[in-house]
């Protein structure tokens, strides 16, 4: 069987790498992929205009693609999964309607309220004046969120009214997030510890993946600007059995049932970003996809077939699937380009000393091959990922791997995993 993975990040490298391990898989295409996927055996990068769904369809039909896995949110929100499924192509990823859980903060907040899913108190606005007036009646800090997709940058935590006014100015007046900022959600600031809960969902059936936690802030000790994620580890001790059950009962089940009653049952990875404080949990956001970088440490722990899991979900046979995880812990450390998450510097040549250890994997993200050289091409460039008998060992092996990679301006957080070790 041949598989097609859509996307170019670290998540997609991990999805393609894992898919290629199946004996039944002869080749995995990645559109467009990165230098890491270009260098793997059984993986081929593909230059294809994936915004033109008919081109993707033609390619899938010509190559008899048996499974398409859509990595990032944008093609899902644009309806790629609906389109390919309607053409009879087995596609893993939610419909455009279900992807609104990530595509619109207003949609998702209204959905949470409608289906009794715990979340921060909020109000939604599509007018600047009304949103400004609201600022007099709330407590600070507060959180201002652009409604639409903003590459992880559309959430602004404001310590006081002045900061909230600036946030609204940048969204409504300066149109910092373009169309994504045509409306906003202003919500209560939540305290606690964040965790990611990611599952494979098919209508009313769910297979939770191994638990994980990422580090969103750019700086050590979780300070500084938010990024897409500077590193992640699995399992996450904060999600103990009790919290796990609460997440399934209070968040995942009502979400799956709510989507079914809205006429848009879910298929794909469903990711709940949660704030946990003592025994209470609240949903910060949903993502309609696997997390990046959570995918990398999670898939390093997956012993069974990813392809079988995705196909079982598509074929509505999740109950027939048994998923096995290694008992080992994993840790992934992101190596980023100078300047990230703001304007960053690209096009630096990368040196990698041989990896060697079978318990480690260097996943590429923002890299490309130019004349057989690996060049940087994004903010997050690699995720150095490793397994260990405990988190501390996984962490130490991941940092050994980090030390084998160098390029000008490279930086990384030196404390990935500290929340799980403490
Ligand atoms: P989101 O895209 O909604 O998950 O927001 C991105 C990040 O902003 C989250 O991972 C949190 O770190 C932070 N955040 C979002 N909403 C809140 C909130 N209501 N209270 C505190 N922090 C938040
Ligand atoms: N690591 C956070 C995300 O994938 O959105």
């Amino acid at each position: 069987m041949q598989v097609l993975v859509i996307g170019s990040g670290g998540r997609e490298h991990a999805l393609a790498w894992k898919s290629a391990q199946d004996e039944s898989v002869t080749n995995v295409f990645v559109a467009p992929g990165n230098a890491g996927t270009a260098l793997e055996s059984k993986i081929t990068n593909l230059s294809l205009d994936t915004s033109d769904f008919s081109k993707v369809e033609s390619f899938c039909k010509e190559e008899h693609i048996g499974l398409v896995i859509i990595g990032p949110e944008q093609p899902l929100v644009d309806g790629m999964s609906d389109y390919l499924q309607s053409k009879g192509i087995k596609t893993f990823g939610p419909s455009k309607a279900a992807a609104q859980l990530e595509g619109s903060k207003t949609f998702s907040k209204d959905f949470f309220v409608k289906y009794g899913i715990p979340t921060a108190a909020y109000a939604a606005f599509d007018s600047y004046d009304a949103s400004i007036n609201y600022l007099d009646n709330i407590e600070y800090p507060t959180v201002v969120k652009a409604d639409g997709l903003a590459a992880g940058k559309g959430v602004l935590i404001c310590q006081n009214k002045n900061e909230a006014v600036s946030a609204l100015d940048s969204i409504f007046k300066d149109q910092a997030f373009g169309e994504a900022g045509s409306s906003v959600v202003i919500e209560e600031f939540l305290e606690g510890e964040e965790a990611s809960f990611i599952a494979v969902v098919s209508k009313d059936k769910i297979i939770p993946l191994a638990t994980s936690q990422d580090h969103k802030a750019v700086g050590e000790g979780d300070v500084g600007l938010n990024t897409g994620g500077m590193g992640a580890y699995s399992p996450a001790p904060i999600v103990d059995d009790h919290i796990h059950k609460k997440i399934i009962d209070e968040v995942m089940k009502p979400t799956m049932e709510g989507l079914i009653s809205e006429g848009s049952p879910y298929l794909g990875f469903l990711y709940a970003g949660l704030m946990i404080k003592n025994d209470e949990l609240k949903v910060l956001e949903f993502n309609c996809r696997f997390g990046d970088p959570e995918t990398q440490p999670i898939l390093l722990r997956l012993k069974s077939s990813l392809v079988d899991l995705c196909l079982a979900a598509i074929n509505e046979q999740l109950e027939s699937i048994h998923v096995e995880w290694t008992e080992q812990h994993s840790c992934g450390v992101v190596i980023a380009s100078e300047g990230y998450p703001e304007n960053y510097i690209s096009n630096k040549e990368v040196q990698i000393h041989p990896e060697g250890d079978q318990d480690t994997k260097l996943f590429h993200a923002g890299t490309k091959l130019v004349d057989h050289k690996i060049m940087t091409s994004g903010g997050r460039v690699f995720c150095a990922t490793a397994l260990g008998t405990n988190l501390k060992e996984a962490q130490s092996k991941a940092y050994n791997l980090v030390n084998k990679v160098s390029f000008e301006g490279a930086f990384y957080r030196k404390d990935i995993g500290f929340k799980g070790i403490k």
Side-chain angles (χ1 to χ4, degrees):
M1 182 179 52
Q2 304 214 88
V3 175
L4 170 63
V5 173
I6 305 289
S8 65
R11 167 184 49 216
E12 287 75 26
H13 185 184
L15 289 166
W17 165 84
K18 184 67 193 164
S19 302
Q21 285 170 12
D22 268 41
E23 275 177 23
S24 65
V25 172
T26 49
N27 191 29
V28 181
F29 293 96
V30 192
N34 56 37
T37 51
L39 292 168
E40 296 274 359
S41 58
K42 269 172 76 174
I43 301 183
T44 311
N45 281 357
L46 194 65
S47 157
L48 184 70
D49 176 8
T50 53
S51 66
D52 183 341
F53 299 159
S54 66
K55 289 199 173 131
V56 181
E57 177 199 355
S58 306
F59 176 81
C60 290
K61 292 197 164 152
E62 276 158 29
E63 293 291 339
H64 305 287
I65 297 293
L67 170 66
V68 180
I69 305 176
I70 303 173
E73 59 277 18
Q74 191 69 57
L76 293 164
V77 169
D78 292 344
M80 182 188 267
S81 187
D82 313 58
Y83 182 90
L84 295 179
Q85 283 177 38
S86 75
K87 304 293 177 187
I89 296 162
K90 294 218 182 270
T91 308
F92 187 73
S95 65
K96 180 176 182 152
Q100 281 302 297
L101 274 184
E102 177 168 2
S104 164
K105 301 273 187 208
T106 313
F107 172 90
S108 62
K109 296 294 287 189
D110 292 349
F111 181 91
F112 298 157
V113 170
K114 184 167 175 191
Y115 293 100
I117 297 159
T119 193
Y122 75 104
F125 301 94
D126 56 14
S127 113
Y128 174 77
D129 291 343
S131 67
I132 291 284
N133 288 338
Y134 179 73
L135 298 180
D136 287 327
N137 310 318
I138 54 172
E139 287 177 20
Y140 292 89
T142 192
V143 187
V144 175
K145 301 183 172 186
D147 178 66
L149 293 181
K153 294 184 184 144
V155 173
L156 303 155
I157 294 173
C158 309
Q159 298 302 331
N160 49 48
K161 187 180 164 189
N162 281 347
E163 287 185 19
V165 170
S166 307
L168 292 167
D169 280 349
S170 78
I171 293 175
F172 279 117
K173 293 198 164 157
D174 309 337
Q175 305 198 326
F177 308 109
E179 258 303 288
S182 57
S183 60
V184 297
V185 163
I186 303 180
E187 74 176 32
E188 167 199 8
F189 177 80
L190 298 176
E191 285 177 54
E193 193 170 336
E194 280 187 68
S196 325
F197 191 89
I198 306 170
V200 167
V201 169
S202 170
K203 293 192 172 158
D204 62 343
K205 301 284 185 302
I206 177 167
I207 294 195
L209 300 179
T211 60
S212 65
Q213 198 169 24
D214 81 345
H215 291 271
K216 286 229 168 78
V218 71
E220 275 133 37
D222 289 335
V223 299
L225 291 174
N226 255 345
T227 69
M230 291 300 289
Y233 58 94
S234 170
I238 186 169
V239 186
D240 59 17
D241 290 349
H242 172 69
I243 292 287
H244 197 278
K245 183 169 183 317
K246 270 178 83 92
I247 297 172
I248 299 278
D249 292 345
E250 294 177 17
V251 177
M252 303 308 273
K253 279 191 182 155
T255 301
M256 297 186 310
E257 283 157 14
L259 286 168
I260 290 170
S261 47
E262 299 284 315
S264 24
Y266 202 88
L267 168 68
F269 297 112
L270 181 58
Y271 169 139
L274 303 156
M275 190 68 92
I276 301 173
K277 194 178 176 195
N278 304 323
D279 198 37
E280 198 187 28
L281 54 93
K282 289 191 173 165
V283 180
L284 290 175
E285 61 163 349
F286 266 116
N287 293 320
C288 60
R289 52 174 173 80
F290 217 150
D292 190 346
E294 291 93 327
T295 306
Q296 293 86 315
I298 290 178
L299 288 187
L300 208 61
R301 295 187 61 218
L302 178 62
K303 291 207 311 204
S304 29
S305 159
L306 174 70
V307 170
D308 288 351
L309 179 58
C310 295
L311 287 174
I314 293 169
N315 297 331
E316 297 179 32
Q317 293 168 342
L318 268 193
E319 60 279 6
S320 69
I321 278 276
H322 174 69
V323 177
E324 263 192 89
W325 302 95
T326 167
E327 292 284 305
Q328 287 184 292
H329 293 238
S330 60
C331 181
V333 178
V334 167
I335 310 174
S337 296
E338 182 180 346
Y340 179 76
E342 297 186 284
N343 288 339
Y344 53 79
I345 298 169
S346 283
N347 261 318
K348 298 292 174 192
E349 189 178 344
V350 181
Q351 274 83 37
I352 302 175
H353 302 287
E355 285 180 47
D357 186 344
Q358 54 153 246
D359 279 350
T360 65
K361 179 71 194 168
L362 182 67
F363 291 110
H364 288 229
T367 64
K368 59 180 182 194
L369 272 189
V370 182
D371 299 332
H372 305 288
K373 289 182 191 152
I374 299 173
M375 306 297 289
T376 66
S377 63
R380 292 186 294 172
V381 185
F382 294 98
C383 183
T385 313
L387 290 171
T389 46
N390 50 44
L391 178 53
K392 224 171 161 37
E393 187 183 294
Q395 184 194 49
S396 136
K397 284 179 166 178
Y399 279 106
N400 283 341
L401 182 56
V402 167
N403 287 329
K404 294 183 178 164
V405 179
S406 58
F407 59 89
E408 194 188 320
F411 78 95
Y412 56 90
R413 273 182 62 166
K414 307 204 173 39
D415 63 349
I416 299 303
F418 84 88
K419 289 187 281 195
I421 290 171
K422 76 173 183 243

